[in-house]
Amino acid sequence: MTRTLVPLLVADLSAFTRALARQLTAAESPPSHQTLMNMLARAAGFRNLQHLGAAQAAAARLDSPPPPPEAVDHTLVARALNQFDATGRLVGWPARRNVQVLCLWALWARLPVGGSRTERQFSALLNGLHSFGDAALLRRDMVMLGLIRRAPDGTDYARLEQRPPPEARALIRHLALRGTGG
């Protein structure tokens, strides 16, 4: 049996959790799976899970606005943004891996689309995007993440086109607003 996915968008998380807490406190025993799903739907302002599903189906039929944007960890984006100077150059290599990955996505976005380059040419491009002098570190990590392609003999590098994750898109947008491109 296939499951129908029913998205749940909550406008006010505080009110939602208060309503859910009231229902859970009033329950005599731990709720079953179905009862808990009904409680979640009621806390979001629907009569029950069936009403939530019907509302979602009706919205889809009526060609409602696009779904809400993907959740973005803005704290992580802010940490990564702090690694760039006012001109958009990466000033140091972050200690946290998740911040490193976001910074690499931001550099990836500023690489030219299409064409391949030698290692020297690619390093020159990267050196223009950071100020700590370690293009080899950036190249290796970008290859490991699948952001760029490297020929087996290391002579040919090219950007691989793909959709960045939500946090990377947010970081790229913020850097572009600084006027640094992206």
Side-chain angles (χ1 to χ4, degrees):
M1 180 173 174
T2 61
R3 291 185 187 184
T4 303
L5 298 179
V6 180
L8 178 63
L9 177 63
V10 179
D12 182 357
L13 184 60
S14 182
F16 174 80
T17 54
R18 277 195 303 273
L20 183 59
R22 279 193 299 272
Q23 292 179 68
L24 288 170
T25 303
E28 295 176 11
S29 62
S32 67
H33 178 77
Q34 184 67 38
T35 303
L36 184 57
M37 289 194 310
N38 281 322
M39 286 178 168
L40 289 168
R42 279 192 299 275
F46 298 92
R47 288 189 303 273
N48 53 32
L49 181 62
Q50 186 176 5
H51 180 219
L52 170 62
Q56 294 294 330
R61 281 192 313 272
L62 295 172
D63 194 30
S64 65
E70 298 167 294
V72 173
D73 182 351
H74 292 288
T75 305
L76 182 59
V77 173
R79 283 186 188 132
L81 194 56
N82 287 335
Q83 301 299 315
F84 292 86
D85 65 16
T87 66
R89 288 172 53 105
L90 184 61
V91 294
W93 191 235
R96 294 182 179 200
R97 182 64 183 162
N98 55 357
V99 178
Q100 292 172 359
V101 170
L102 279 184
C103 291
L104 290 171
W105 273 106
L107 296 179
W108 168 89
R110 296 178 61 202
L111 293 172
V113 177
S116 61
R117 288 162 179 75
T118 65
E119 180 178 320
R120 186 176 297 242
Q121 291 169 327
F122 202 80
S123 291
L125 283 172
L126 289 175
N127 284 332
L129 301 175
H130 77 284
S131 60
F132 57 91
D134 197 347
L137 168 77
L138 299 173
R139 276 195 331 267
R140 280 192 304 270
D141 261 9
M142 291 176 97
V143 168
M144 284 184 355
L145 288 172
L147 300 177
I148 60 173
R149 170 190 51 77
R150 177 177 58 199
D153 62 0
T155 59
D156 182 51
Y157 289 81
R159 173 178 146 159
L160 294 174
E161 294 309 307
Q162 54 197 299
R163 181 174 170 84
E167 284 83 6
R169 290 194 306 271
L171 176 60
I172 292 164
R173 258 191 323 275
H174 282 289
L175 287 171
L177 290 174
R178 284 186 176 180
T180 61

